[in-house]
Amino acid sequence: IKKVYLENLNKTFVTTANDQVVAVNNINLKIEPGEFVTMLGPSGCGKTTTLRMIAGFEMPTHGNVFIGEENVATKTPDKRDTAMVFQNYALFPHMNVFDNISYGLKIQKRPKAEIKERVERILKMMKMEDFSQRVPAQMSGGQQQRVSLARALVMEPGVLLFDEPLSNLDAKLRIHMRDEIRKIQQKVGITSIYVTHDQEEAMALSDRVVIMNAGIIEQEGTPQEIYQRPVNEFVANFIGRANILDGEIVGIDEGEVIVNIHGVGFTVKVYKKFDVGQRVRVVIRPEGVLVGKKDFTVKVDKSVFMGQNHEYGVDFFGSNLEISENNPTGKTIYKIGQQMGIGFDQQALHIL
Ligand code: ADP
Ligand code: MG
């Protein structure tokens, strides 16, 4: 169980047309021993390249990768004490489950009895004892992915790396497997770095989420911090749904400001310095908009019953505002074209 430290890490690819592509742009990141950290960002933002530099499949253009106390930036993958779980499972098709899982231990020339004991222990933990003689083609995607996780775990690496391991599975199995990964990770306590473009997966799994965009880190924090206090519009829009409103600071108090949003003042907690008169952007999540208040009167453009929530879209001073009303049973349902009174939960307002 090791810590990981990425120092000023950069990967610049040179294409055949001699163009430079900065895939990872000088990132710095510290991961504590036993921590589960997810790197989350849109396709092409540099997640896989970062993970491959940690694993040693890709050499940095410059910068360092520390695993434990050791700088491994120029070491080959087998010298790094990492194991990786891939999106496409990457199992050997002609080998059965037992042989797939034991492969790395055989390469390390471990004694036969030890290999048997370790593989059987992992199979038991993964509830896969009955599958040990099957080949990959005789298993479902979820079962194959479990074997691929077992193959990584059996090595007892200092750091476990995951590159979108669940994206080939259907929605239901994906949720089941992510809960299972989290459970196993907590049981073994292994440092884990998980790459995904799925924000729900990131929030469900992680101690800490790192938001990446175009080769840089936009923000890192617990799922709650990222959701409740995004640092910019990119993060606000990437994690969950966000309404972003124009406001103006009209008063300042200790740790709080009064922000005027279309003529109504709201008292909002702040985490950085603002000046009176400053124009700002204010984030409010759909569930932070309160139906039935009298701060604003708006016209309903969308009204959809979703079971747990009722989803509205309303015209708010010429822009669309999304509202999610929890536990709609027994409450007034507004139809498209109707007028509705709304307000904002002051605690849910966040100023960028
Ligand atoms: P992600 O995993 O977040 O989708 P990647 O790390 O795979 O992103 O890619 C980041 C950027 O680097 C992309 O613009 C991609 O096209 C580019 N890239 C990745 N690998 C190579 C390569 N071998 N040669 C040139 N460009 C690459
Ligand atoms: Mg990728």
Side-chain angles (χ1 to χ4, degrees):
I1 297 171
K2 292 186 171 167
K3 64 181 173 187
V4 176
Y5 175 36
L6 310 181
E7 185 185 50
N8 207 22
L9 194 61
N10 180 293
K11 182 70 190 185
T12 304
F13 291 107
V14 180
T15 66
T16 42
N18 229 5
D19 293 326
Q20 297 210 339
V21 179
V22 184
V24 177
N25 194 353
N26 304 346
I27 65 172
N28 290 281
L29 183 64
K30 274 186 180 149
I31 296 162
E32 300 300 326
E35 200 179 14
F36 197 120
V37 170
T38 298
M39 309 191 78
L40 173 68
S43 176
C45 72
K47 306 181 295 293
T48 294
T49 305
T50 304
L51 207 63
R52 286 171 59 81
M53 285 193 282
I54 300 170
F57 301 132
E58 204 78 74
M59 291 300 144
T61 304
H62 62 73
N64 292 315
V65 176
F66 291 88
I67 295 179
E69 302 299 332
E70 195 186 1
N71 186 357
V72 296
T74 58
K75 297 215 151 138
T76 52
D78 55 307
K79 300 278 185 317
R80 292 195 180 202
D81 201 14
T82 58
M84 184 123 139
V85 182
F86 298 91
Q87 176 176 347
N88 58 7
Y89 324 131
L91 299 174
F92 302 113
H94 56 288
M95 287 186 195
N96 68 25
V97 167
F98 188 97
D99 292 339
N100 261 289
I101 298 176
S102 61
Y103 185 80
L105 296 173
K106 279 186 192 142
I107 298 284
Q108 287 185 350
K109 297 199 166 53
R110 299 276 172 184
K112 253 206 165 104
E114 181 194 327
I115 294 179
K116 185 162 182 294
E117 193 270 321
R118 280 170 71 170
V119 174
E120 277 171 1
R121 182 152 40 92
I122 292 286
L123 282 171
K124 189 159 175 237
M125 184 168 84
M126 305 293 290
K127 300 193 181 74
M128 296 281 296
E129 299 106 308
D130 298 341
F131 291 83
S132 100
Q133 299 308 311
R134 290 209 203 172
V135 294
Q138 297 166 332
M139 292 186 292
S140 70
Q143 289 160 346
Q144 290 185 53
Q145 192 50 285
R146 221 178 280 159
V147 175
S148 135
L149 178 58
R151 188 179 53 178
L153 283 170
V154 82
M155 303 310 291
E156 297 172 9
V159 183
L160 200 51
L161 306 171
F162 299 86
D163 194 359
E164 312 230 12
L166 305 183
S167 27
N168 287 357
L169 306 179
D170 64 57
K172 213 165 172 183
L173 190 58
R174 209 154 56 218
I175 293 173
H176 176 73
M177 284 292 290
R178 85 177 180 216
D179 292 345
E180 206 147 284
I181 288 176
R182 182 59 167 158
K183 247 188 252 166
I184 288 166
Q185 189 267 343
Q186 291 194 322
K187 195 154 143 189
V188 239
I190 190 169
T191 310
S192 302
I193 307 176
Y194 190 104
V195 157
T196 182
H197 64 275
D198 181 331
Q199 49 113 355
E200 255 188 49
E201 208 166 284
M203 296 219 259
L205 279 167
S206 320
D207 296 314
R208 196 147 54 95
V209 179
V210 175
I211 307 282
M212 281 189 75
N213 180 28
I216 64 157
I217 292 174
E218 296 275 6
Q219 187 172 6
E220 51 183 281
T222 64
Q224 291 92 324
E225 281 166 358
I226 302 262
Y227 188 80
Q228 290 162 0
R229 289 160 51 183
V231 296
N232 57 33
E233 291 190 32
F234 176 84
V235 176
N237 283 312
F238 199 77
I239 282 271
R241 293 187 294 158
N243 298 298
I244 299 182
L245 316 171
D246 289 314
E248 184 184 343
I249 306 290
V250 292
I252 298 184
D253 202 353
E254 211 161 292
E256 286 181 349
V257 299
I258 298 168
V259 61
N260 178 324
I261 300 172
H262 290 284
V264 182
F266 296 92
T267 305
V268 180
K269 238 193 190 156
V270 290
Y271 304 90
K272 58 183 187 191
K273 211 184 147 311
F274 293 98
D275 299 315
V276 171
Q278 191 176 341
R279 301 204 163 270
V280 290
R281 303 280 272 163
V282 185
V283 181
I284 182 107
R285 302 291 183 182
E287 67 274 14
V289 183
L290 306 175
V291 175
K293 299 274 173 188
K294 296 207 169 69
D295 289 334
F296 308 99
T297 302
V298 294
K299 188 169 81 46
V300 176
D301 289 331
K302 182 184 91 176
S303 174
V304 187
F305 178 70
M306 298 289 285
Q308 220 176 11
N309 303 304
H310 196 99
E311 302 286 329
Y312 293 106
V314 302
D315 178 45
F316 188 75
F317 299 94
S319 301
N320 179 57
L321 184 78
E322 293 284 330
I323 305 172
S324 183
E325 190 177 39
N326 203 232
N327 290 322
T329 311
K331 291 181 180 164
T332 308
I333 299 292
Y334 295 85
K335 297 199 182 76
I336 292 174
Q338 281 189 318
Q339 303 270 318
M340 174 162 94
I342 61 166
F344 297 137
D345 173 0
Q346 296 198 118
Q347 295 193 38
L349 289 167
H350 173 70
I351 303 178
L352 292 175

